[in-house]
Amino acid sequence: MRVAIVGNGILSNLGALYFKKRLPASVEIVLIGPEDRGGLPLVGESTIEITSQFLETELGLAEYLCKNHYPKFGLTYYFKLDLDNPDDRTYSVHCNERGPSNNPPLESWTGPMVRPLSWLLNRFTFDRDIRKMVDERGGIERIDGLVTDVALDGQEGHTLQIKETNGHTRSIKADWVIDGTGRNRLLAKKLDLVIKPEGQRNCFWFWLADFDRSLLKNLNALGPKPPAPGEPFHYDRYYTTHHFMGRGNWIWMIPIKAEDNSELISIGFVSHPDVYEHEVRSVDDFIEQVSKVHPVVTDFVKSGRVVDTQLLRRYHYVVSKVYSPNRWGILGDAAFAPDPLFSNGLAFGTLQLEHLGEMITQDLEGKLAPEYVNALSDALMGPILGSQTAISKWYHSMDDPFLSSLRLTWIEYTYFYMVLPMVVNRCHYQPDRMKLWKVLQFRQDKNPYEIPQALLQARSLFDKPTPEHFLYRGKEKVNLRALDKVERVDEILDQVNEGSTLLGKYTREVVERVKELAG
Ligand SMILES: Cc1cc2nc3c(=O)[nH]c(=O)nc-3n(C[C@H](O)[C@H](O)[C@H](O)COP(=O)(O)OP(=O)(O)OC[C@H]3O[C@@H](n4cnc5c(N)ncnc54)[C@H](O)[C@@H]3O)c2cc1C
């Protein structure tokens, strides 16, 4: 059997490494893509536990990540109490103050902090190193060129037309085609599968060097602090993905390690054009708009040197299906461009690689059923659509620090008690466990990422939030068993139920607190 992966981006190369490991040696893997990205932007520096679990346990990259990239200690969200007053730097700050306890030790991790569960990637270094690993791995054929067309035929074999970078043209046959062509979306365009969801996004981002890191602390942070040096689970909050929320927009700040070991930071401005009235297309626009709300961020930016800038406008899309019984799959950016608010773009891509690995395995064994292929397509698109819909709605009240803190806490509980243990225990593709995954399938009336009416009503009981309104769940929202590989489905269900109970308790406590404050 021959599997053709079209694209030379991160997911295509990770896919080649993974398939080589997962599939029998008789399966030929061919990667077709140019060295040059052809103007496609390179972004996606913050990994979550799902991504790093794949990189560490499936591909054995833990030591590589530890040596070459910064650790990540979760996500930190800054909700400003008074967005209209630049002089008031009071923020309700929410982060995960500890991770699941059962992560394996890491030889190269010698820092005074707890061993991280995920990583902040320098994507230029990372993508280059992964490509090199593919070449050194051997047994993976690489063709430097563009696929100009594909004649799909799952029975007799697909035919791919290739224009090599050296000018030659040729065609090859393959039993499976995996489209990893990124925003070029080879198959989705050919098959007319692209859907542009209503809520669009614009994003401007840049890298900063030679900055004064201490300026980021120049704010009045409400909420619990991370454990101090010497205490269990101590970490440095700088090494998290920082999110500053605004009116219909938010800013990411992701520390990254330069090749020469100096510090860089990636800073991005994401907005919903229906909710945010301004355009941010340059560093000057960024300084002008952001200084009115978050001078702590712009003071920091002004202290450094801008290295590179990128802009994407109205970039959000999904496809109507990602896999076909006709032996093709659409991977990563070729299939969807999710909102990066929860750093989950690469995570969805790694789930897809596991799906594809399983489908090809079943195909080799002659037992791949069309129903299973379609079920996997739904199993991926359900959580993508559910989380994206909840995030799209969020933009309409992103300026509300209280509601934002509720939405964040809700989604993080859902992630740590439902999504993560299910992924670790393969509920996203193992047939006897997939019924559990259905909890995450998107239904308009019951979206697991959406906060309940009781919390929305609590917000209507007061005018402006005060520091007393906020409830922090830094430690509690992290499920300490989330990384346990369990024997029985019941044990996963226990965690899901525990999460539901905690969400119920959280909801009650929020409502009680608000009522108490309202007198
Ligand atoms: C603003 C923004 C922020 C993000 N932040 C995060 C984050 O913090 N964390 C996270 O996990 N994810 C994030 N993501 C998502 C992440 O960037 C993507 O999931 C990931 O980079 C996609 O990789 P890919 O391999 O699918 O595509 P790409 O890396 O774009 O690769 C596509 C490849 O296909 C090749 N190609 C194109 N056309 C052809 C053709 N016809 N024939 C052959 N080859 C072709 C290109 O040359 C390229 O090599 C973010 C996305 C955006 C837009």
Side-chain angles (χ1 to χ4, degrees):
M1 177 179 286
R2 187 185 228 192
V3 177
I5 308 176
V6 187
N8 190 17
I10 193 59
L11 287 168
S12 300
N13 281 282
L14 289 173
L17 282 180
Y18 175 65
F19 295 148
K20 204 64 209 158
K21 194 169 161 228
R22 161 108 197 237
L23 302 174
S26 59
V27 176
E28 288 174 51
I29 312 283
V30 53
L31 255 176
I32 311 126
E35 268 294 305
D36 189 274
R37 291 184 56 77
L40 290 176
L42 188 55
V43 67
E45 292 125 342
S46 166
T47 63
I48 56 172
E49 292 74 9
I50 293 176
T51 318
S52 53
Q53 280 295 302
F54 179 85
L55 298 177
E56 293 189 21
T57 57
E58 299 298 338
L59 298 183
L61 295 178
E63 299 293 338
Y64 161 80
L65 289 162
C66 184
K67 284 185 189 140
N68 296 284
H69 301 275
Y70 282 153
K72 175 180 160 189
F73 297 100
L75 307 167
T76 304
Y77 284 78
Y78 301 78
F79 304 119
K80 193 172 182 210
L81 267 70
D82 188 355
L83 282 179
D84 296 318
N85 181 1
D87 294 332
D88 186 347
R89 295 187 180 200
T90 307
Y91 288 84
S92 173
V93 180
H94 297 247
C95 53
N96 318 338
E97 285 158 62
R98 61 178 293 182
S101 46
N102 46 3
N103 48 332
L106 192 52
E107 214 174 279
S108 339
W109 182 253
T110 51
M113 298 182 283
V114 61
R115 178 241 206 264
L117 277 184
S118 51
W119 305 93
L120 301 167
L121 302 175
N122 177 334
R123 284 293 302 272
F124 287 90
T125 316
F126 185 65
D127 288 33
R128 183 206 58 204
D129 292 348
I130 297 295
R131 278 199 299 274
K132 194 158 165 258
M133 286 178 212
V134 168
D135 294 336
E136 287 170 359
R137 171 70 182 72
I140 299 166
E141 187 188 355
R142 192 188 275 291
I143 301 176
D144 183 351
L146 283 171
V147 171
T148 50
D149 199 9
V150 187
L152 292 170
D153 185 341
Q155 296 310 311
E156 301 300 320
H158 309 294
T159 309
L160 289 80
Q161 304 295 340
I162 301 171
K163 182 159 196 281
E164 291 184 49
T165 304
N166 62 18
H168 295 151
T169 55
R170 63 159 144 157
S171 66
I172 63 163
K173 298 284 275 185
D175 302 287
W176 274 83
V177 174
I178 297 170
D179 176 6
T181 57
R183 303 185 65 77
N184 284 3
R185 289 168 279 172
L186 182 75
L187 282 189
K189 284 183 183 164
K190 181 182 170 73
L191 301 173
D192 202 15
L193 301 175
V194 182
I195 303 169
K196 274 261 180 188
E198 262 180 42
Q200 270 306 318
R201 303 290 188 277
N202 292 335
C203 183
F204 169 74
W205 71 96
F206 54 97
W207 277 15
L208 197 71
D210 304 330
F211 45 82
D212 178 357
R213 208 214 262 199
S214 70
L215 291 173
L216 269 186
K217 291 199 171 147
N218 198 2
L219 50 80
N220 173 24
L222 306 176
K225 306 281 176 282
E231 282 180 14
F233 294 101
H234 161 66
Y235 71 93
D236 180 348
R237 195 180 269 176
Y238 177 70
Y239 296 105
T240 62
T241 299
H242 304 262
H243 304 73
F244 284 83
M245 315 305 274
R247 195 160 275 127
N249 66 73
W250 62 275
I251 295 161
W252 83 62
M253 301 179 85
I254 306 176
I256 34 187
K257 195 194 254 190
E259 293 258 51
D260 62 3
N261 280 339
S262 64
E263 290 186 4
L264 291 170
I265 192 161
S266 160
I267 303 181
F269 184 93
V270 186
S271 61
H272 187 313
D274 299 346
V275 189
Y276 182 64
E277 56 188 335
H278 302 287
E279 288 269 3
V280 170
R281 295 169 177 231
S282 65
V283 176
D284 287 345
D285 292 346
F286 181 92
I287 300 277
E288 185 187 340
Q289 297 306 332
V290 177
S291 60
K292 294 179 204 160
V293 183
H294 305 297
V296 61
V297 174
T298 46
D299 286 353
F300 172 75
V301 170
K302 285 186 221 159
S303 78
R305 177 171 56 86
V306 174
V307 178
D308 185 26
T309 66
Q310 295 278 352
L311 177 69
L312 274 180
R313 299 191 70 243
R314 297 188 172 266
Y315 71 83
H316 185 37
Y317 55 79
V318 290
V319 295
S320 48
K321 73 173 185 177
V322 279
Y323 314 125
S324 161
N326 201 26
R327 297 193 169 102
W328 54 256
I330 308 182
L331 173 67
D333 270 16
F336 45 80
D339 191 301
L341 187 61
F342 284 97
S343 306
N344 55 14
L346 285 170
F348 286 126
T350 62
L351 299 186
Q352 286 201 279
L353 294 178
E354 292 177 315
H355 281 170
L356 288 158
E358 180 66 19
M359 283 188 281
I360 297 169
T361 304
Q362 291 196 15
D363 196 15
L364 283 166
E365 292 164 359
K367 55 181 194 196
L368 181 64
E371 298 75 31
Y372 180 63
V373 176
N374 294 330
L376 288 186
S377 202
D378 291 347
L380 184 85
M381 293 319 287
I384 290 183
L385 292 175
S387 56
Q388 294 310 297
T389 304
I391 293 171
S392 282
K393 273 190 172 174
W394 186 341
Y395 278 86
H396 296 269
S397 58
M398 217 162 232
D399 55 333
D400 187 315
F402 180 75
L403 268 182
S404 284
S405 75
L406 302 183
R407 288 189 188 282
L408 167 71
T409 309
W410 191 271
I411 290 182
E412 292 219 314
Y413 265 125
T414 307
Y415 172 70
F416 280 113
Y417 280 89
M418 298 180 194
V419 183
L420 188 54
M422 284 199 218
V423 169
V424 167
N425 289 291
R426 305 186 170 170
C427 301
H428 55 298
Y429 69 87
Q430 205 166 297
D432 59 330
R433 297 189 165 188
M434 276 179 73
K435 63 176 187 299
L436 263 187
W437 188 256
K438 288 223 164 80
V439 174
L440 305 174
Q441 307 285 75
F442 171 58
R443 295 209 317 265
Q444 275 297 349
D445 58 328
K446 208 169 185 319
N447 183 343
Y449 309 97
E450 188 54 68
I451 57 172
Q453 278 302 319
L455 290 179
L456 290 170
Q457 279 159 8
R459 178 63 188 92
S460 66
L461 295 179
F462 60 94
D463 180 19
K464 277 198 159 194
T466 62
E468 293 71 36
H469 280 102
F470 293 90
L471 253 74
Y472 296 91
R473 284 293 197 264
K475 288 198 189 76
E476 297 86 340
K477 72 187 166 194
V478 178
N479 169 12
L480 300 185
R481 291 183 291 159
L483 299 182
D484 282 353
K485 290 210 163 55
V486 299
E487 293 289 318
R488 292 177 298 107
V489 170
D490 285 2
E491 295 172 76
I492 310 167
L493 206 51
D494 281 351
Q495 296 181 51
V496 173
N497 289 336
E498 193 184 337
S500 300
T501 307
L502 288 167
L503 279 171
K505 184 167 173 277
Y506 174 69
T507 304
R508 280 193 303 281
E509 283 180 26
V510 168
V511 173
E512 274 164 25
R513 168 83 62 98
V514 167
K515 284 189 174 158
E516 214 175 277
L517 289 169

